[in-house]
Amino acid sequence: QVQLVESGGGLVQAGGSLRLSCAASGRTFGSYAMGWFRQAPGKEREFVTALNWSGGSTTYADSVKGRFTISRDNAKNTVYLQMNSLKPEDTAVYYCTVRRGYYTDCAGSWHYWGQGTQVTVSS
């Protein structure tokens, strides 16, 4: 089992910034990826960004490219999501996730999920 604990959500005005954190503990894999998805009310969970832990390669949804940055702290087994230039349409519950192997933008292919943290961007 893998446990993921997110923190850092909140309320921010449009144009502002927030940083989310996700600390992982428990079982480890030889090769794995960590990522972030989000889900707004009445919508499906959508891919935001992910990175491959061993090589550090990253990928982003077009809607957040240039505004969001995913990063990691190997020693703390923690992944971060720095969100800048936030827009009201970024409002959602953000979920941290981990999977064995390479990253993918398909939510159903990820194996473990955090409890989610609310991000609200006011206009």
Side-chain angles (χ1 to χ4, degrees):
Q1 271 303 87
V2 174
Q3 292 77 44
L4 301 171
V5 179
E6 300 121 329
S7 60
L11 172 64
V12 65
Q13 287 190 329
S17 298
L18 279 175
R19 189 176 84 151
L20 307 183
S21 300
C22 174
S25 61
R27 181 182 176 183
T28 58
F29 309 116
S31 169
Y32 62 99
M34 290 188 75
W36 293 92
F37 283 69
R38 66 187 182 186
Q39 188 165 19
K43 294 189 176 181
E44 297 207 347
R45 193 168 295 190
E46 67 169 352
F47 173 77
V48 176
T49 180
L51 64 80
N52 289 320
W53 200 262
S54 57
S57 59
T58 59
T59 185
Y60 295 89
D62 287 342
S63 59
V64 306
K65 239 175 237 181
R67 300 188 298 122
F68 290 11
T69 303
I70 189 171
S71 61
R72 62 183 176 173
D73 183 326
N74 288 358
K76 295 182 179 179
N77 241 12
T78 297
V79 67
Y80 303 98
L81 179 61
Q82 178 66 44
M83 304 184 293
N84 298 330
S85 302
L86 281 161
K87 305 174 182 180
E89 51 263 44
D90 294 318
T91 295
V93 177
Y94 284 70
Y95 295 92
C96 175
T97 182
V98 66
R99 73 182 303 273
R100 294 180 293 274
Y102 207 71
Y103 54 57
T104 171
D105 61 3
C106 174
S109 297
W110 291 78
H111 301 126
Y112 299 96
W113 295 85
Q115 79 285 356
T117 185
Q118 177 70 46
V119 171
T120 303
V121 184
S122 62
S123 56

